[in-house]
Amino acid sequence: MNREQINQAVFKDLINKQLEPFGKNYESVLNEKDWFLNYPVTKEQEDEFIQWGIKHIQQKMKTTKAIAEKEMNWFILSYGLTTKL
């Protein structure tokens, strides 16, 4: 796999993991406008997902923890699910 394919695979993995509790996946929300607003999570769920995502990014993209944390922060900012207060 080339770098772009790895990035796409990791992106889909992250989407699938955060939608797992809702029985949804990347393909099922692909055509859903603003899908990330429709599946709220608690702060604890988001924190668990972030920790999982950092480890997953490190492993799949063969990167440092610091870079994985930055990537995960960008992912949450762009595609993270709504957090319940």
Side-chain angles (χ1 to χ4, degrees):
M1 262 198 232
N2 67 34
R3 188 76 169 156
E4 183 60 31
Q5 290 170 321
I6 292 169
N7 290 347
Q8 282 294 329
V10 169
F11 175 77
K12 287 181 182 179
D13 291 345
L14 293 172
I15 299 289
N16 288 338
K17 182 67 174 178
Q18 73 173 347
L19 289 173
E20 199 173 78
F22 303 97
K24 298 285 185 175
N25 62 27
Y26 176 80
E27 287 77 22
S28 67
V29 298
L30 194 57
N31 295 316
E32 193 175 320
K33 186 177 187 222
D34 296 331
W35 58 269
F36 43 86
L37 299 175
N38 298 329
Y39 306 98
V41 295
T42 65
K43 181 65 175 141
E44 292 79 20
Q45 288 171 313
E46 182 181 64
D47 290 343
E48 287 176 23
F49 170 65
I50 289 170
Q51 291 309 308
W52 178 89
I54 290 168
K55 290 176 186 171
H56 189 70
I57 291 168
Q58 276 184 275
Q59 179 186 26
K60 295 292 183 173
M61 298 178 80
K62 311 255 188 277
T63 188
T64 66
K65 184 175 183 180
I67 291 173
E69 287 171 342
K70 287 180 184 178
E71 291 293 329
M72 196 62 197
N73 286 335
W74 276 112
F75 178 85
I76 290 294
L77 182 64
S78 300
Y79 303 103
L81 300 179
T82 302
T83 306
K84 296 182 220 174
L85 299 178

